[in-house]
Amino acid sequence: MFVLSFSGRAGHGRDLPDPVPALLASLADLDLALPAERTAGPEALALAGRAEAALEAVLCALEHGGVAIGVGVGTVGHPLPGSVRELSGPAVDSAAAALRAASTTSQVPLALRAADGRQRATAEDAQAVLRLLGWMVRTRNRGQWRVVQALREDPTATQAQLAERLGVTQQTVSRAVKTSGWREESAAHPLAVRLLSMIDLTSVR
């Protein structure tokens, strides 16, 4: 399981005094095992049962900005509680440790920890990939964001269709796709999912 901890504490949320409401709204449509909830102050917690959902949650938070992200991978207490705030288990502790590490990272405030110590190397690999994705995300300008978000919503859309929806020229869409690093980012998503899945599936149960 994947416990995702988010914090908008000083150093990562100066322009967003309380980033939690908008963050929760962006996570609301994801297929999470337990939906994201505010925990205390400018912090939130969520639980994903699949690596794909965990990656989507991380990407949402990176795109939202203003928060540090801690990901803990491992087991949680069962049966699952009615609220993620009542969640317990090794993955919860790992997420808390990851969030503490992320809060001290100035470039891409994201960290990942595996509850199973044998998975430390793979966790470091997964963290490196996620931070690289985060760096690509944070360097985009407003125009690139609009195109990338439209592509996320409809990956099969042609550039002509996207241009019509966004009210821009096809050349603008083409330039945004090339300069945003979207193709490179999306090509790395399967690798991130595989690494996250490896940690989860081979952890001590």
Side-chain angles (χ1 to χ4, degrees):
M1 302 291 277
F2 307 88
V3 178
L4 301 120
S5 186
F6 310 97
S7 174
R9 292 190 182 282
H12 300 295
R14 293 189 182 93
D15 297 327
L16 295 169
D18 186 5
V20 173
L23 175 63
L24 294 181
S26 70
L27 297 172
D29 293 332
L30 301 186
D31 183 21
L32 298 173
L34 287 174
E37 295 183 44
R38 181 192 291 274
T39 52
E43 298 186 353
L45 196 68
L47 177 68
R50 300 180 303 108
E52 293 85 353
L55 177 60
E56 283 297 321
V58 167
L59 291 173
C60 278
L62 287 169
E63 292 171 357
H64 177 272
V67 294
I69 307 165
V71 182
V73 188
T75 58
V76 296
H78 279 84
L80 293 180
S83 167
V84 71
R85 289 175 295 180
E86 301 170 4
L87 196 63
S88 62
V92 178
D93 298 332
S94 295
L99 186 61
R100 288 193 295 272
S103 297
T104 63
T105 303
S106 61
Q107 296 300 317
V108 179
L110 181 154
L112 184 147
R113 296 291 184 270
D116 187 337
R118 298 174 304 170
Q119 306 302 322
R120 180 174 180 178
T122 307
E124 290 175 349
D125 291 343
Q127 175 180 273
V129 172
L130 293 176
R131 283 184 174 173
L132 181 59
L133 294 177
W135 180 259
M136 297 176 72
V137 165
R138 66 178 292 169
T139 58
R140 290 180 182 138
N141 60 38
R142 184 178 180 86
Q144 292 167 340
W145 268 117
R146 292 186 66 207
V147 173
V148 169
Q149 288 171 340
L151 278 168
R152 286 195 191 283
E153 293 171 1
D154 187 0
T156 63
T158 65
Q159 292 187 359
Q161 291 171 329
L162 291 175
E164 183 177 356
R165 293 175 192 173
L166 297 174
V168 298
T169 66
Q170 187 172 338
Q171 290 78 8
T172 297
V173 171
S174 177
R175 183 168 58 252
V177 170
K178 290 178 181 177
T179 59
S180 67
W182 164 248
R183 290 194 180 98
E184 291 76 13
E185 179 202 325
S186 58
H189 290 179
L191 173 59
V193 168
R194 283 198 296 273
L195 290 170
L196 291 170
S197 296
M198 284 173 59
I199 301 168
D200 181 43
L201 294 174
T202 57
S203 294
V204 172
R205 302 291 174 181

PDB file of all heavy atoms in Angstrom, residues 43-62:
ATOM      1  N   GLU A  43      -1.899  20.190   6.450  1.00  0.00           N
ATOM      2  CA  GLU A  43      -1.434  18.856   6.100  1.00  0.00           C
ATOM      3  C   GLU A  43      -2.598  17.964   5.688  1.00  0.00           C
ATOM      4  O   GLU A  43      -3.741  18.175   6.111  1.00  0.00           O
ATOM      5  CB  GLU A  43      -0.673  18.234   7.267  1.00  0.00           C
ATOM      6  CG  GLU A  43       0.576  19.007   7.657  1.00  0.00           C
ATOM      7  CD  GLU A  43       1.400  18.295   8.715  1.00  0.00           C
ATOM      8  OE1 GLU A  43       0.940  17.261   9.240  1.00  0.00           O
ATOM      9  OE2 GLU A  43       2.500  18.787   9.021  1.00  0.00           O
ATOM     10  N   ALA A  44      -2.282  16.966   4.856  1.00  0.00           N
ATOM     11  CA  ALA A  44      -3.302  16.033   4.385  1.00  0.00           C
ATOM     12  C   ALA A  44      -2.679  14.655   4.226  1.00  0.00           C
ATOM     13  O   ALA A  44      -1.452  14.510   4.136  1.00  0.00           O
ATOM     14  CB  ALA A  44      -3.894  16.512   3.061  1.00  0.00           C
ATOM     15  N   LEU A  45      -3.542  13.640   4.184  1.00  0.00           N
ATOM     16  CA  LEU A  45      -3.103  12.253   4.100  1.00  0.00           C
ATOM     17  C   LEU A  45      -4.037  11.511   3.150  1.00  0.00           C
ATOM     18  O   LEU A  45      -5.229  11.795   3.088  1.00  0.00           O
ATOM     19  CB  LEU A  45      -3.144  11.610   5.488  1.00  0.00           C
ATOM     20  CG  LEU A  45      -2.386  10.304   5.716  1.00  0.00           C
ATOM     21  CD1 LEU A  45      -0.877  10.561   5.622  1.00  0.00           C
ATOM     22  CD2 LEU A  45      -2.725   9.736   7.087  1.00  0.00           C
ATOM     23  N   ALA A  46      -3.475  10.539   2.400  1.00  0.00           N
ATOM     24  CA  ALA A  46      -4.276   9.717   1.492  1.00  0.00           C
ATOM     25  C   ALA A  46      -3.672   8.323   1.431  1.00  0.00           C
ATOM     26  O   ALA A  46      -2.498   8.134   1.781  1.00  0.00           O
ATOM     27  CB  ALA A  46      -4.337  10.337   0.098  1.00  0.00           C
ATOM     28  N   LEU A  47      -4.453   7.352   0.988  1.00  0.00           N
ATOM     29  CA  LEU A  47      -3.978   5.976   0.847  1.00  0.00           C
ATOM     30  C   LEU A  47      -4.313   5.475  -0.543  1.00  0.00           C
ATOM     31  O   LEU A  47      -5.474   5.518  -0.971  1.00  0.00           O
ATOM     32  CB  LEU A  47      -4.626   5.061   1.890  1.00  0.00           C
ATOM     33  CG  LEU A  47      -4.253   3.576   1.784  1.00  0.00           C
ATOM     34  CD1 LEU A  47      -2.777   3.361   2.142  1.00  0.00           C
ATOM     35  CD2 LEU A  47      -5.148   2.720   2.694  1.00  0.00           C
ATOM     36  N   ALA A  48      -3.298   4.981  -1.247  1.00  0.00           N
ATOM     37  CA  ALA A  48      -3.485   4.378  -2.567  1.00  0.00           C
ATOM     38  C   ALA A  48      -3.191   2.890  -2.476  1.00  0.00           C
ATOM     39  O   ALA A  48      -2.231   2.479  -1.820  1.00  0.00           O
ATOM     40  CB  ALA A  48      -2.575   5.041  -3.604  1.00  0.00           C
ATOM     41  N   GLY A  49      -4.013   2.117  -3.152  1.00  0.00           N
ATOM     42  CA  GLY A  49      -3.804   0.678  -3.149  1.00  0.00           C
ATOM     43  C   GLY A  49      -3.004   0.182  -4.336  1.00  0.00           C
ATOM     44  O   GLY A  49      -2.511  -0.944  -4.328  1.00  0.00           O
ATOM     45  N   ARG A  50      -2.858   1.020  -5.352  1.00  0.00           N
ATOM     46  CA  ARG A  50      -2.127   0.640  -6.564  1.00  0.00           C
ATOM     47  C   ARG A  50      -1.048   1.674  -6.864  1.00  0.00           C
ATOM     48  O   ARG A  50      -1.207   2.859  -6.568  1.00  0.00           O
ATOM     49  CB  ARG A  50      -3.081   0.545  -7.759  1.00  0.00           C
ATOM     50  CG  ARG A  50      -4.191  -0.487  -7.596  1.00  0.00           C
ATOM     51  CD  ARG A  50      -5.104  -0.514  -8.817  1.00  0.00           C
ATOM     52  NE  ARG A  50      -5.691   0.796  -9.093  1.00  0.00           N
ATOM     53  CZ  ARG A  50      -5.341   1.579 -10.109  1.00  0.00           C
ATOM     54  NH1 ARG A  50      -4.403   1.196 -10.958  1.00  0.00           N
ATOM     55  NH2 ARG A  50      -5.935   2.755 -10.277  1.00  0.00           N
ATOM     56  N   ALA A  51       0.021   1.213  -7.488  1.00  0.00           N
ATOM     57  CA  ALA A  51       1.111   2.117  -7.840  1.00  0.00           C
ATOM     58  C   ALA A  51       0.646   3.202  -8.802  1.00  0.00           C
ATOM     59  O   ALA A  51       1.084   4.354  -8.711  1.00  0.00           O
ATOM     60  CB  ALA A  51       2.265   1.327  -8.459  1.00  0.00           C
ATOM     61  N   GLU A  52      -0.242   2.840  -9.734  1.00  0.00           N
ATOM     62  CA  GLU A  52      -0.737   3.822 -10.702  1.00  0.00           C
ATOM     63  C   GLU A  52      -1.454   4.977 -10.000  1.00  0.00           C
ATOM     64  O   GLU A  52      -1.264   6.147 -10.342  1.00  0.00           O
ATOM     65  CB  GLU A  52      -1.675   3.161 -11.708  1.00  0.00           C
ATOM     66  CG  GLU A  52      -1.015   2.162 -12.637  1.00  0.00           C
ATOM     67  CD  GLU A  52      -0.893   0.766 -12.043  1.00  0.00           C
ATOM     68  OE1 GLU A  52      -1.207   0.592 -10.836  1.00  0.00           O
ATOM     69  OE2 GLU A  52      -0.485  -0.149 -12.776  1.00  0.00           O
ATOM     70  N   ALA A  53      -2.270   4.633  -9.008  1.00  0.00           N
ATOM     71  CA  ALA A  53      -2.997   5.663  -8.269  1.00  0.00           C
ATOM     72  C   ALA A  53      -2.049   6.509  -7.430  1.00  0.00           C
ATOM     73  O   ALA A  53      -2.231   7.721  -7.297  1.00  0.00           O
ATOM     74  CB  ALA A  53      -4.065   5.021  -7.382  1.00  0.00           C
ATOM     75  N   ALA A  54      -1.034   5.870  -6.854  1.00  0.00           N
ATOM     76  CA  ALA A  54      -0.052   6.616  -6.071  1.00  0.00           C
ATOM     77  C   ALA A  54       0.680   7.628  -6.947  1.00  0.00           C
ATOM     78  O   ALA A  54       0.885   8.779  -6.557  1.00  0.00           O
ATOM     79  CB  ALA A  54       0.946   5.661  -5.432  1.00  0.00           C
ATOM     80  N   LEU A  55       1.063   7.206  -8.149  1.00  0.00           N
ATOM     81  CA  LEU A  55       1.741   8.118  -9.069  1.00  0.00           C
ATOM     82  C   LEU A  55       0.835   9.276  -9.449  1.00  0.00           C
ATOM     83  O   LEU A  55       1.274  10.437  -9.478  1.00  0.00           O
ATOM     84  CB  LEU A  55       2.189   7.366 -10.325  1.00  0.00           C
ATOM     85  CG  LEU A  55       2.842   8.234 -11.405  1.00  0.00           C
ATOM     86  CD1 LEU A  55       4.097   8.919 -10.881  1.00  0.00           C
ATOM     87  CD2 LEU A  55       3.162   7.391 -12.642  1.00  0.00           C
ATOM     88  N   GLU A  56      -0.427   8.984  -9.729  1.00  0.00           N
ATOM     89  CA  GLU A  56      -1.368  10.053 -10.085  1.00  0.00           C
ATOM     90  C   GLU A  56      -1.503  11.065  -8.945  1.00  0.00           C
ATOM     91  O   GLU A  56      -1.550  12.272  -9.179  1.00  0.00           O
ATOM     92  CB  GLU A  56      -2.738   9.453 -10.414  1.00  0.00           C
ATOM     93  CG  GLU A  56      -2.821   8.810 -11.785  1.00  0.00           C
ATOM     94  CD  GLU A  56      -2.613   9.815 -12.897  1.00  0.00           C
ATOM     95  OE1 GLU A  56      -3.104  10.958 -12.784  1.00  0.00           O
ATOM     96  OE2 GLU A  56      -1.932   9.471 -13.876  1.00  0.00           O
ATOM     97  N   ALA A  57      -1.541  10.569  -7.721  1.00  0.00           N
ATOM     98  CA  ALA A  57      -1.649  11.473  -6.572  1.00  0.00           C
ATOM     99  C   ALA A  57      -0.407  12.342  -6.432  1.00  0.00           C
ATOM    100  O   ALA A  57      -0.497  13.543  -6.160  1.00  0.00           O
ATOM    101  CB  ALA A  57      -1.879  10.668  -5.291  1.00  0.00           C
ATOM    102  N   VAL A  58       0.749  11.745  -6.634  1.00  0.00           N
ATOM    103  CA  VAL A  58       1.997  12.509  -6.558  1.00  0.00           C
ATOM    104  C   VAL A  58       2.028  13.579  -7.645  1.00  0.00           C
ATOM    105  O   VAL A  58       2.380  14.739  -7.396  1.00  0.00           O
ATOM    106  CB  VAL A  58       3.213  11.570  -6.691  1.00  0.00           C
ATOM    107  CG1 VAL A  58       4.492  12.366  -6.934  1.00  0.00           C
ATOM    108  CG2 VAL A  58       3.365  10.712  -5.443  1.00  0.00           C
ATOM    109  N   LEU A  59       1.631  13.206  -8.865  1.00  0.00           N
ATOM    110  CA  LEU A  59       1.632  14.169  -9.964  1.00  0.00           C
ATOM    111  C   LEU A  59       0.651  15.306  -9.706  1.00  0.00           C
ATOM    112  O   LEU A  59       0.949  16.467  -9.993  1.00  0.00           O
ATOM    113  CB  LEU A  59       1.298  13.461 -11.280  1.00  0.00           C
ATOM    114  CG  LEU A  59       2.370  12.502 -11.810  1.00  0.00           C
ATOM    115  CD1 LEU A  59       1.850  11.743 -13.028  1.00  0.00           C
ATOM    116  CD2 LEU A  59       3.653  13.250 -12.155  1.00  0.00           C
ATOM    117  N   CYS A  60      -0.512  14.968  -9.163  1.00  0.00           N
ATOM    118  CA  CYS A  60      -1.490  16.010  -8.825  1.00  0.00           C
ATOM    119  C   CYS A  60      -0.900  17.006  -7.836  1.00  0.00           C
ATOM    120  O   CYS A  60      -1.052  18.218  -7.987  1.00  0.00           O
ATOM    121  CB  CYS A  60      -2.755  15.389  -8.238  1.00  0.00           C
ATOM    122  SG  CYS A  60      -3.916  14.752  -9.451  1.00  0.00           S
ATOM    123  N   ALA A  61      -0.227  16.480  -6.808  1.00  0.00           N
ATOM    124  CA  ALA A  61       0.351  17.355  -5.793  1.00  0.00           C
ATOM    125  C   ALA A  61       1.494  18.190  -6.365  1.00  0.00           C
ATOM    126  O   ALA A  61       1.640  19.372  -6.037  1.00  0.00           O
ATOM    127  CB  ALA A  61       0.844  16.528  -4.610  1.00  0.00           C
ATOM    128  N   LEU A  62       2.297  17.591  -7.240  1.00  0.00           N
ATOM    129  CA  LEU A  62       3.386  18.330  -7.868  1.00  0.00           C
ATOM    130  C   LEU A  62       2.840  19.456  -8.736  1.00  0.00           C
ATOM    131  O   LEU A  62       3.357  20.579  -8.731  1.00  0.00           O
ATOM    132  CB  LEU A  62       4.234  17.386  -8.722  1.00  0.00           C
ATOM    133  CG  LEU A  62       5.140  16.404  -7.962  1.00  0.00           C
ATOM    134  CD1 LEU A  62       5.708  15.369  -8.923  1.00  0.00           C
ATOM    135  CD2 LEU A  62       6.269  17.143  -7.261  1.00  0.00           C
TER     136      LEU A  62
END
